[in-house]
Amino acid sequence: MTKSINITLNVWRQKSAGVKGGFETYHAANISTDMSFLEMIDVVNEQLTLDGRDPIAFDHDCREGICGMCGAVVNGRAHGPEEGTTLCQLHMRYFSNGDTIVIEPWRAKAFPILKDLAVDRSAFDEIIVAGGYISVNTGGAPDANAIPISQEIAEKAMDAAACIGCGACVASCPNASAMLFAGAKISQLALLPQGRPEAAQRALAMVRKMDELCFGNCSNERECEAECPKEISISNIARMNREFFKAGIGSAVM
Amino acid sequence: MNWFTNTLWTSVGKKLLMAVTGLFFCVFLALHLVGNLTIYAGKDAFNSYAEHLHSLGPLLTAAEWGMLLFALIHICTGLLLFYQNFTARPERYAVNKRAGGRTLGSATMPYTGVILLLFVIYHLFNFHFVDKTHTTIFQIVSTAFSKPSYVVIYTFAMIVAAVHVSHGFWSAFQTLGANHPKYTPFLKGLSLVFSLIVGIGFGFIPIYVSLLV
Ligand code: HEM
Ligand code: SF4
Ligand code: FES
């Protein structure tokens, strides 16, 4: 049933990259519990705009949980308290009247804050550019099922490919490690025959790029897999490690 | 050696070093515990175990130097990883909440590790770098554990070791790439059982010896 709640927000405000930021408090009154979290911020922003104040900057695009643009740490949880849910798909019915909600941006050295809750995640793009692709010339569409792939492998590759690159894994990792993201991106290609020819090259290049960008090192805390909106499993990190050892020790790729 | 250092000197490579040396120390702990348990069979059994061990001569010396090397790798790499992980998030969150992944063991690895390092040094000075010409190892051990402070320190250190290993054992397999729906749950269980064996097995020895004298 639709209800209206009154809540208090403690939001991280920061004018631009590299300057000092801090928390500011806002009161959001009459918030419908049918609203999504982002719609709730929209309402707050409309009021801020009417008051002649700077609205809260935050990233978003599809608002249906598929693009990976949204995300903030809500009360200490990346994408909020619901499992397997992006921030845009989190609804206000999970909050109660009178709640105080602390909203912080993703925090990692590799994800510098651009403004307020918006962070620069181009580090993820750089990891993809380092090897998250297969080199094929586009030609005529190949016949379906020309390359037989077992159901089990297809499912695993699909599960890894569900990663939307939102960065919640980095945000929730106590070490700000990007290994769940890199593991998913390496796995989705390593599992399929089309990805094998460049597998060694890819594993080495993507891991090295990840290190170069100053992400932390995984210590198997498993917070990423618990927070990931697409429920990517850490078995993908194990696969990345296997691919990396195979490439580093067993292949001719330097 | 370029490909070699290029591989090991990455995040995944350093994790490999931690996992291999860590698992080695788990094997060491198991063997050390089996040896120490002879103390329950009495003073003579314990002394004879120590004598047999030392009769290995050069083999034992080689094992000791090997362990020192592994310890240096484990400690230096562990501290480097800790430093890198710390700097990977220069500004911390105001609110921290676990999503259910972190455990007592995983959250405290660097701290339990450093305590273990201090303990190992203390332990070696207690029982290893001592003059053993006119005494037996049982004598040394029982004199030490007649002092309550030793019993407290040793028992505490063994609880710390159990906490370190409760995450470390399972974590090492995950790092090595051994993750499978069929046996990962078993490894996680084994990790817990092993840490209990380490904690209880080693932890009760000081208490038992202190009750003897
Ligand atoms: C009896 C002694 C020890 C045993 C059996 C042991 C065992 C282990 C194992 C199995 C791991 C897991 C490796 C992995 O996750 O891949 C580990 C991790 C770790 N150990 Fe130890 N260890 C011991 C002593 C120490 C000492 C003396 C230090 C001192 C600094 C230390 C620091 C660490 C750290 C920081 C990690 C976490 C590394 C990471 O994953 O980021 N350990 N240990
Ligand atoms: S692994 Fe999950 S949390 Fe990390 S970027 Fe992909 S979808 Fe987001
Ligand atoms: S806005 Fe696209 S996933 Fe949330």
Side-chain angles (χ1 to χ4, degrees), chain B residues 117-147:
Chain B
L117 172 62
L118 297 178
F119 168 74
V120 168
I121 296 171
Y122 177 72
H123 178 50
L124 289 176
F125 277 102
N126 290 160
F127 299 142
H128 188 76
F129 301 117
V130 284
D131 182 14
K132 291 175 189 151
T133 38
H134 299 296
T135 180
T136 64
I137 189 66
F138 183 84
Q139 199 62 50
I140 298 172
V141 170
S142 58
T143 314
F145 291 143
S146 63
K147 293 170 216 147

PDB file of all heavy atoms in Angstrom, chain B residues 117-147:
ATOM      1  N   LEU B 117      53.523 -12.723  14.207  1.00  0.00           N
ATOM      2  CA  LEU B 117      54.946 -12.471  13.978  1.00  0.00           C
ATOM      3  C   LEU B 117      55.657 -12.189  15.310  1.00  0.00           C
ATOM      4  O   LEU B 117      56.697 -12.782  15.613  1.00  0.00           O
ATOM      5  CB  LEU B 117      55.114 -11.290  13.027  1.00  0.00           C
ATOM      6  CG  LEU B 117      56.543 -10.773  12.840  1.00  0.00           C
ATOM      7  CD1 LEU B 117      57.429 -11.855  12.244  1.00  0.00           C
ATOM      8  CD2 LEU B 117      56.554  -9.536  11.963  1.00  0.00           C
ATOM      9  N   LEU B 118      55.062 -11.296  16.107  1.00  0.00           N
ATOM     10  CA  LEU B 118      55.662 -10.973  17.407  1.00  0.00           C
ATOM     11  C   LEU B 118      55.720 -12.226  18.274  1.00  0.00           C
ATOM     12  O   LEU B 118      56.723 -12.490  18.945  1.00  0.00           O
ATOM     13  CB  LEU B 118      54.842  -9.884  18.116  1.00  0.00           C
ATOM     14  CG  LEU B 118      54.792  -8.541  17.393  1.00  0.00           C
ATOM     15  CD1 LEU B 118      53.916  -7.562  18.145  1.00  0.00           C
ATOM     16  CD2 LEU B 118      56.198  -7.978  17.221  1.00  0.00           C
ATOM     17  N   PHE B 119      54.649 -13.017  18.213  1.00  0.00           N
ATOM     18  CA  PHE B 119      54.620 -14.227  19.018  1.00  0.00           C
ATOM     19  C   PHE B 119      55.715 -15.209  18.593  1.00  0.00           C
ATOM     20  O   PHE B 119      56.389 -15.794  19.449  1.00  0.00           O
ATOM     21  CB  PHE B 119      53.252 -14.919  18.928  1.00  0.00           C
ATOM     22  CG  PHE B 119      53.268 -16.304  19.511  1.00  0.00           C
ATOM     23  CD1 PHE B 119      53.309 -16.478  20.890  1.00  0.00           C
ATOM     24  CD2 PHE B 119      53.304 -17.427  18.690  1.00  0.00           C
ATOM     25  CE1 PHE B 119      53.373 -17.755  21.436  1.00  0.00           C
ATOM     26  CE2 PHE B 119      53.365 -18.699  19.225  1.00  0.00           C
ATOM     27  CZ  PHE B 119      53.399 -18.865  20.603  1.00  0.00           C
ATOM     28  N   VAL B 120      55.880 -15.386  17.270  1.00  0.00           N
ATOM     29  CA  VAL B 120      56.866 -16.361  16.794  1.00  0.00           C
ATOM     30  C   VAL B 120      58.269 -15.968  17.278  1.00  0.00           C
ATOM     31  O   VAL B 120      59.049 -16.822  17.722  1.00  0.00           O
ATOM     32  CB  VAL B 120      56.808 -16.492  15.254  1.00  0.00           C
ATOM     33  CG1 VAL B 120      58.004 -17.257  14.731  1.00  0.00           C
ATOM     34  CG2 VAL B 120      55.521 -17.180  14.829  1.00  0.00           C
ATOM     35  N   ILE B 121      58.576 -14.659  17.235  1.00  0.00           N
ATOM     36  CA  ILE B 121      59.885 -14.201  17.711  1.00  0.00           C
ATOM     37  C   ILE B 121      60.048 -14.520  19.206  1.00  0.00           C
ATOM     38  O   ILE B 121      61.042 -15.109  19.637  1.00  0.00           O
ATOM     39  CB  ILE B 121      60.045 -12.687  17.449  1.00  0.00           C
ATOM     40  CG1 ILE B 121      60.028 -12.418  15.935  1.00  0.00           C
ATOM     41  CG2 ILE B 121      61.336 -12.157  18.073  1.00  0.00           C
ATOM     42  CD1 ILE B 121      59.958 -10.957  15.560  1.00  0.00           C
ATOM     43  N   TYR B 122      59.018 -14.171  19.968  1.00  0.00           N
ATOM     44  CA  TYR B 122      58.999 -14.442  21.413  1.00  0.00           C
ATOM     45  C   TYR B 122      59.180 -15.938  21.674  1.00  0.00           C
ATOM     46  O   TYR B 122      59.997 -16.366  22.495  1.00  0.00           O
ATOM     47  CB  TYR B 122      57.660 -13.939  21.944  1.00  0.00           C
ATOM     48  CG  TYR B 122      57.389 -14.165  23.404  1.00  0.00           C
ATOM     49  CD1 TYR B 122      58.060 -13.443  24.385  1.00  0.00           C
ATOM     50  CD2 TYR B 122      56.398 -15.074  23.807  1.00  0.00           C
ATOM     51  CE1 TYR B 122      57.769 -13.622  25.727  1.00  0.00           C
ATOM     52  CE2 TYR B 122      56.105 -15.251  25.143  1.00  0.00           C
ATOM     53  CZ  TYR B 122      56.791 -14.530  26.104  1.00  0.00           C
ATOM     54  OH  TYR B 122      56.501 -14.711  27.420  1.00  0.00           O
ATOM     55  N   HIS B 123      58.432 -16.743  20.922  1.00  0.00           N
ATOM     56  CA  HIS B 123      58.434 -18.197  21.058  1.00  0.00           C
ATOM     57  C   HIS B 123      59.823 -18.776  20.785  1.00  0.00           C
ATOM     58  O   HIS B 123      60.313 -19.627  21.528  1.00  0.00           O
ATOM     59  CB  HIS B 123      57.400 -18.761  20.076  1.00  0.00           C
ATOM     60  CG  HIS B 123      57.292 -20.248  20.038  1.00  0.00           C
ATOM     61  ND1 HIS B 123      57.148 -21.020  21.171  1.00  0.00           N
ATOM     62  CD2 HIS B 123      57.294 -21.133  18.998  1.00  0.00           C
ATOM     63  CE1 HIS B 123      57.062 -22.297  20.829  1.00  0.00           C
ATOM     64  NE2 HIS B 123      57.159 -22.393  19.516  1.00  0.00           N
ATOM     65  N   LEU B 124      60.476 -18.277  19.720  1.00  0.00           N
ATOM     66  CA  LEU B 124      61.805 -18.786  19.376  1.00  0.00           C
ATOM     67  C   LEU B 124      62.807 -18.442  20.481  1.00  0.00           C
ATOM     68  O   LEU B 124      63.671 -19.255  20.814  1.00  0.00           O
ATOM     69  CB  LEU B 124      62.263 -18.209  18.028  1.00  0.00           C
ATOM     70  CG  LEU B 124      61.522 -18.758  16.806  1.00  0.00           C
ATOM     71  CD1 LEU B 124      61.985 -18.059  15.535  1.00  0.00           C
ATOM     72  CD2 LEU B 124      61.710 -20.267  16.671  1.00  0.00           C
ATOM     73  N   PHE B 125      62.675 -17.240  21.046  1.00  0.00           N
ATOM     74  CA  PHE B 125      63.591 -16.873  22.127  1.00  0.00           C
ATOM     75  C   PHE B 125      63.321 -17.670  23.402  1.00  0.00           C
ATOM     76  O   PHE B 125      64.226 -17.924  24.188  1.00  0.00           O
ATOM     77  CB  PHE B 125      63.551 -15.359  22.389  1.00  0.00           C
ATOM     78  CG  PHE B 125      64.441 -14.606  21.441  1.00  0.00           C
ATOM     79  CD1 PHE B 125      63.930 -13.935  20.344  1.00  0.00           C
ATOM     80  CD2 PHE B 125      65.837 -14.625  21.622  1.00  0.00           C
ATOM     81  CE1 PHE B 125      64.769 -13.293  19.440  1.00  0.00           C
ATOM     82  CE2 PHE B 125      66.672 -13.980  20.731  1.00  0.00           C
ATOM     83  CZ  PHE B 125      66.139 -13.303  19.637  1.00  0.00           C
ATOM     84  N   ASN B 126      62.088 -18.096  23.597  1.00  0.00           N
ATOM     85  CA  ASN B 126      61.754 -18.917  24.763  1.00  0.00           C
ATOM     86  C   ASN B 126      62.330 -20.317  24.662  1.00  0.00           C
ATOM     87  O   ASN B 126      62.929 -20.830  25.605  1.00  0.00           O
ATOM     88  CB  ASN B 126      60.230 -19.069  24.913  1.00  0.00           C
ATOM     89  CG  ASN B 126      59.537 -17.791  25.325  1.00  0.00           C
ATOM     90  OD1 ASN B 126      58.351 -17.649  25.133  1.00  0.00           O
ATOM     91  ND2 ASN B 126      60.288 -16.853  25.880  1.00  0.00           N
ATOM     92  N   PHE B 127      62.108 -20.957  23.505  1.00  0.00           N
ATOM     93  CA  PHE B 127      62.363 -22.398  23.423  1.00  0.00           C
ATOM     94  C   PHE B 127      63.410 -22.808  22.397  1.00  0.00           C
ATOM     95  O   PHE B 127      63.811 -23.962  22.372  1.00  0.00           O
ATOM     96  CB  PHE B 127      61.053 -23.154  23.113  1.00  0.00           C
ATOM     97  CG  PHE B 127      59.995 -22.968  24.153  1.00  0.00           C
ATOM     98  CD1 PHE B 127      58.657 -22.854  23.801  1.00  0.00           C
ATOM     99  CD2 PHE B 127      60.330 -22.919  25.513  1.00  0.00           C
ATOM    100  CE1 PHE B 127      57.683 -22.687  24.772  1.00  0.00           C
ATOM    101  CE2 PHE B 127      59.356 -22.749  26.482  1.00  0.00           C
ATOM    102  CZ  PHE B 127      58.033 -22.630  26.113  1.00  0.00           C
ATOM    103  N   HIS B 128      63.816 -21.889  21.519  1.00  0.00           N
ATOM    104  CA  HIS B 128      64.748 -22.297  20.459  1.00  0.00           C
ATOM    105  C   HIS B 128      66.158 -21.783  20.737  1.00  0.00           C
ATOM    106  O   HIS B 128      67.105 -22.569  20.827  1.00  0.00           O
ATOM    107  CB  HIS B 128      64.249 -21.802  19.096  1.00  0.00           C
ATOM    108  CG  HIS B 128      65.047 -22.353  17.939  1.00  0.00           C
ATOM    109  ND1 HIS B 128      64.904 -23.636  17.481  1.00  0.00           N
ATOM    110  CD2 HIS B 128      66.016 -21.778  17.182  1.00  0.00           C
ATOM    111  CE1 HIS B 128      65.743 -23.832  16.472  1.00  0.00           C
ATOM    112  NE2 HIS B 128      66.431 -22.732  16.270  1.00  0.00           N
ATOM    113  N   PHE B 129      66.280 -20.458  20.888  1.00  0.00           N
ATOM    114  CA  PHE B 129      67.609 -19.883  21.126  1.00  0.00           C
ATOM    115  C   PHE B 129      67.955 -19.933  22.620  1.00  0.00           C
ATOM    116  O   PHE B 129      68.204 -18.916  23.246  1.00  0.00           O
ATOM    117  CB  PHE B 129      67.653 -18.426  20.638  1.00  0.00           C
ATOM    118  CG  PHE B 129      67.342 -18.285  19.166  1.00  0.00           C
ATOM    119  CD1 PHE B 129      66.233 -17.572  18.731  1.00  0.00           C
ATOM    120  CD2 PHE B 129      68.164 -18.878  18.212  1.00  0.00           C
ATOM    121  CE1 PHE B 129      65.943 -17.444  17.384  1.00  0.00           C
ATOM    122  CE2 PHE B 129      67.880 -18.750  16.853  1.00  0.00           C
ATOM    123  CZ  PHE B 129      66.768 -18.035  16.442  1.00  0.00           C
ATOM    124  N   VAL B 130      67.922 -21.124  23.188  1.00  0.00           N
ATOM    125  CA  VAL B 130      68.284 -21.249  24.602  1.00  0.00           C
ATOM    126  C   VAL B 130      69.348 -22.331  24.738  1.00  0.00           C
ATOM    127  O   VAL B 130      69.446 -23.230  23.897  1.00  0.00           O
ATOM    128  CB  VAL B 130      67.070 -21.608  25.490  1.00  0.00           C
ATOM    129  CG1 VAL B 130      66.182 -20.404  25.702  1.00  0.00           C
ATOM    130  CG2 VAL B 130      66.287 -22.753  24.895  1.00  0.00           C
ATOM    131  N   ASP B 131      70.111 -22.225  25.778  1.00  0.00           N
ATOM    132  CA  ASP B 131      71.161 -23.207  26.041  1.00  0.00           C
ATOM    133  C   ASP B 131      70.516 -24.500  26.530  1.00  0.00           C
ATOM    134  O   ASP B 131      69.831 -24.515  27.557  1.00  0.00           O
ATOM    135  CB  ASP B 131      72.112 -22.623  27.105  1.00  0.00           C
ATOM    136  CG  ASP B 131      73.257 -23.586  27.380  1.00  0.00           C
ATOM    137  OD1 ASP B 131      73.429 -24.531  26.564  1.00  0.00           O
ATOM    138  OD2 ASP B 131      73.950 -23.392  28.386  1.00  0.00           O
ATOM    139  N   LYS B 132      70.711 -25.577  25.731  1.00  0.00           N
ATOM    140  CA  LYS B 132      70.030 -26.824  26.094  1.00  0.00           C
ATOM    141  C   LYS B 132      71.013 -27.890  26.574  1.00  0.00           C
ATOM    142  O   LYS B 132      70.679 -29.077  26.584  1.00  0.00           O
ATOM    143  CB  LYS B 132      69.238 -27.349  24.881  1.00  0.00           C
ATOM    144  CG  LYS B 132      68.048 -26.472  24.528  1.00  0.00           C
ATOM    145  CD  LYS B 132      67.361 -26.945  23.258  1.00  0.00           C
ATOM    146  CE  LYS B 132      66.333 -25.929  22.813  1.00  0.00           C
ATOM    147  NZ  LYS B 132      66.112 -25.900  21.380  1.00  0.00           N
ATOM    148  N   THR B 133      72.248 -27.462  26.983  1.00  0.00           N
ATOM    149  CA  THR B 133      73.254 -28.476  27.315  1.00  0.00           C
ATOM    150  C   THR B 133      72.954 -29.239  28.606  1.00  0.00           C
ATOM    151  O   THR B 133      73.099 -30.440  28.658  1.00  0.00           O
ATOM    152  CB  THR B 133      74.660 -27.841  27.398  1.00  0.00           C
ATOM    153  OG1 THR B 133      74.535 -26.561  28.003  1.00  0.00           O
ATOM    154  CG2 THR B 133      75.276 -27.720  26.013  1.00  0.00           C
ATOM    155  N   HIS B 134      72.496 -28.525  29.648  1.00  0.00           N
ATOM    156  CA  HIS B 134      72.310 -29.216  30.918  1.00  0.00           C
ATOM    157  C   HIS B 134      70.856 -29.390  31.301  1.00  0.00           C
ATOM    158  O   HIS B 134      70.509 -29.494  32.468  1.00  0.00           O
ATOM    159  CB  HIS B 134      73.043 -28.448  32.036  1.00  0.00           C
ATOM    160  CG  HIS B 134      74.513 -28.365  31.762  1.00  0.00           C
ATOM    161  ND1 HIS B 134      75.316 -29.478  31.721  1.00  0.00           N
ATOM    162  CD2 HIS B 134      75.300 -27.307  31.478  1.00  0.00           C
ATOM    163  CE1 HIS B 134      76.550 -29.094  31.426  1.00  0.00           C
ATOM    164  NE2 HIS B 134      76.560 -27.776  31.260  1.00  0.00           N
ATOM    165  N   THR B 135      70.011 -29.391  30.281  1.00  0.00           N
ATOM    166  CA  THR B 135      68.586 -29.497  30.596  1.00  0.00           C
ATOM    167  C   THR B 135      67.866 -30.210  29.462  1.00  0.00           C
ATOM    168  O   THR B 135      68.468 -30.503  28.431  1.00  0.00           O
ATOM    169  CB  THR B 135      68.004 -28.075  30.822  1.00  0.00           C
ATOM    170  OG1 THR B 135      66.625 -28.211  31.120  1.00  0.00           O
ATOM    171  CG2 THR B 135      68.173 -27.185  29.609  1.00  0.00           C
ATOM    172  N   THR B 136      66.606 -30.524  29.668  1.00  0.00           N
ATOM    173  CA  THR B 136      65.813 -31.135  28.595  1.00  0.00           C
ATOM    174  C   THR B 136      64.760 -30.129  28.152  1.00  0.00           C
ATOM    175  O   THR B 136      64.449 -29.180  28.873  1.00  0.00           O
ATOM    176  CB  THR B 136      65.084 -32.401  29.092  1.00  0.00           C
ATOM    177  OG1 THR B 136      64.157 -32.001  30.108  1.00  0.00           O
ATOM    178  CG2 THR B 136      66.069 -33.422  29.627  1.00  0.00           C
ATOM    179  N   ILE B 137      64.215 -30.391  26.958  1.00  0.00           N
ATOM    180  CA  ILE B 137      63.215 -29.459  26.433  1.00  0.00           C
ATOM    181  C   ILE B 137      61.977 -29.458  27.324  1.00  0.00           C
ATOM    182  O   ILE B 137      61.356 -28.421  27.544  1.00  0.00           O
ATOM    183  CB  ILE B 137      62.875 -29.771  24.944  1.00  0.00           C
ATOM    184  CG1 ILE B 137      62.002 -28.670  24.333  1.00  0.00           C
ATOM    185  CG2 ILE B 137      62.246 -31.113  24.756  1.00  0.00           C
ATOM    186  CD1 ILE B 137      62.671 -27.335  24.203  1.00  0.00           C
ATOM    187  N   PHE B 138      61.650 -30.614  27.893  1.00  0.00           N
ATOM    188  CA  PHE B 138      60.498 -30.668  28.793  1.00  0.00           C
ATOM    189  C   PHE B 138      60.715 -29.757  30.004  1.00  0.00           C
ATOM    190  O   PHE B 138      59.804 -29.051  30.450  1.00  0.00           O
ATOM    191  CB  PHE B 138      60.230 -32.101  29.268  1.00  0.00           C
ATOM    192  CG  PHE B 138      59.003 -32.203  30.132  1.00  0.00           C
ATOM    193  CD1 PHE B 138      57.738 -32.314  29.559  1.00  0.00           C
ATOM    194  CD2 PHE B 138      59.098 -32.136  31.521  1.00  0.00           C
ATOM    195  CE1 PHE B 138      56.607 -32.369  30.359  1.00  0.00           C
ATOM    196  CE2 PHE B 138      57.957 -32.185  32.315  1.00  0.00           C
ATOM    197  CZ  PHE B 138      56.717 -32.304  31.733  1.00  0.00           C
ATOM    198  N   GLN B 139      61.961 -29.788  30.517  1.00  0.00           N
ATOM    199  CA  GLN B 139      62.326 -28.938  31.649  1.00  0.00           C
ATOM    200  C   GLN B 139      62.091 -27.459  31.320  1.00  0.00           C
ATOM    201  O   GLN B 139      61.500 -26.717  32.102  1.00  0.00           O
ATOM    202  CB  GLN B 139      63.820 -29.183  31.966  1.00  0.00           C
ATOM    203  CG  GLN B 139      64.214 -28.735  33.358  1.00  0.00           C
ATOM    204  CD  GLN B 139      63.447 -29.504  34.422  1.00  0.00           C
ATOM    205  OE1 GLN B 139      63.406 -30.728  34.377  1.00  0.00           O
ATOM    206  NE2 GLN B 139      62.826 -28.793  35.334  1.00  0.00           N
ATOM    207  N   ILE B 140      62.585 -27.070  30.146  1.00  0.00           N
ATOM    208  CA  ILE B 140      62.458 -25.664  29.721  1.00  0.00           C
ATOM    209  C   ILE B 140      60.982 -25.273  29.603  1.00  0.00           C
ATOM    210  O   ILE B 140      60.558 -24.238  30.106  1.00  0.00           O
ATOM    211  CB  ILE B 140      63.176 -25.456  28.361  1.00  0.00           C
ATOM    212  CG1 ILE B 140      64.661 -25.759  28.511  1.00  0.00           C
ATOM    213  CG2 ILE B 140      62.966 -24.043  27.849  1.00  0.00           C
ATOM    214  CD1 ILE B 140      65.425 -25.772  27.203  1.00  0.00           C
ATOM    215  N   VAL B 141      60.212 -26.163  28.962  1.00  0.00           N
ATOM    216  CA  VAL B 141      58.803 -25.875  28.738  1.00  0.00           C
ATOM    217  C   VAL B 141      58.050 -25.800  30.072  1.00  0.00           C
ATOM    218  O   VAL B 141      57.261 -24.875  30.305  1.00  0.00           O
ATOM    219  CB  VAL B 141      58.179 -26.940  27.805  1.00  0.00           C
ATOM    220  CG1 VAL B 141      56.665 -26.809  27.751  1.00  0.00           C
ATOM    221  CG2 VAL B 141      58.755 -26.813  26.404  1.00  0.00           C
ATOM    222  N   SER B 142      58.314 -26.745  30.964  1.00  0.00           N
ATOM    223  CA  SER B 142      57.537 -26.730  32.206  1.00  0.00           C
ATOM    224  C   SER B 142      57.946 -25.567  33.108  1.00  0.00           C
ATOM    225  O   SER B 142      57.107 -25.023  33.819  1.00  0.00           O
ATOM    226  CB  SER B 142      57.630 -28.066  32.940  1.00  0.00           C
ATOM    227  OG  SER B 142      58.963 -28.366  33.209  1.00  0.00           O
ATOM    228  N   THR B 143      59.230 -25.161  33.061  1.00  0.00           N
ATOM    229  CA  THR B 143      59.636 -23.969  33.831  1.00  0.00           C
ATOM    230  C   THR B 143      58.896 -22.743  33.305  1.00  0.00           C
ATOM    231  O   THR B 143      58.383 -21.931  34.080  1.00  0.00           O
ATOM    232  CB  THR B 143      61.159 -23.730  33.702  1.00  0.00           C
ATOM    233  OG1 THR B 143      61.823 -24.967  33.904  1.00  0.00           O
ATOM    234  CG2 THR B 143      61.638 -22.713  34.715  1.00  0.00           C
ATOM    235  N   ALA B 144      58.855 -22.637  31.963  1.00  0.00           N
ATOM    236  CA  ALA B 144      58.189 -21.472  31.369  1.00  0.00           C
ATOM    237  C   ALA B 144      56.720 -21.419  31.777  1.00  0.00           C
ATOM    238  O   ALA B 144      56.236 -20.394  32.242  1.00  0.00           O
ATOM    239  CB  ALA B 144      58.317 -21.504  29.856  1.00  0.00           C
ATOM    240  N   PHE B 145      56.030 -22.558  31.633  1.00  0.00           N
ATOM    241  CA  PHE B 145      54.589 -22.551  31.872  1.00  0.00           C
ATOM    242  C   PHE B 145      54.217 -22.632  33.353  1.00  0.00           C
ATOM    243  O   PHE B 145      53.033 -22.661  33.698  1.00  0.00           O
ATOM    244  CB  PHE B 145      53.900 -23.654  31.059  1.00  0.00           C
ATOM    245  CG  PHE B 145      53.941 -23.363  29.581  1.00  0.00           C
ATOM    246  CD1 PHE B 145      54.115 -24.383  28.646  1.00  0.00           C
ATOM    247  CD2 PHE B 145      53.811 -22.062  29.104  1.00  0.00           C
ATOM    248  CE1 PHE B 145      54.158 -24.117  27.289  1.00  0.00           C
ATOM    249  CE2 PHE B 145      53.859 -21.780  27.752  1.00  0.00           C
ATOM    250  CZ  PHE B 145      54.038 -22.810  26.847  1.00  0.00           C
ATOM    251  N   SER B 146      55.221 -22.643  34.212  1.00  0.00           N
ATOM    252  CA  SER B 146      54.889 -22.515  35.634  1.00  0.00           C
ATOM    253  C   SER B 146      54.587 -21.047  35.944  1.00  0.00           C
ATOM    254  O   SER B 146      54.051 -20.719  36.996  1.00  0.00           O
ATOM    255  CB  SER B 146      56.027 -23.034  36.495  1.00  0.00           C
ATOM    256  OG  SER B 146      57.176 -22.241  36.269  1.00  0.00           O
ATOM    257  N   LYS B 147      54.965 -20.164  34.996  1.00  0.00           N
ATOM    258  CA  LYS B 147      54.654 -18.737  35.182  1.00  0.00           C
ATOM    259  C   LYS B 147      53.329 -18.412  34.465  1.00  0.00           C
ATOM    260  O   LYS B 147      53.216 -18.652  33.263  1.00  0.00           O
ATOM    261  CB  LYS B 147      55.771 -17.865  34.586  1.00  0.00           C
ATOM    262  CG  LYS B 147      57.081 -18.006  35.333  1.00  0.00           C
ATOM    263  CD  LYS B 147      58.200 -17.332  34.558  1.00  0.00           C
ATOM    264  CE  LYS B 147      59.482 -18.105  34.704  1.00  0.00           C
ATOM    265  NZ  LYS B 147      60.342 -18.059  33.536  1.00  0.00           N
TER     266      LYS B 147
END
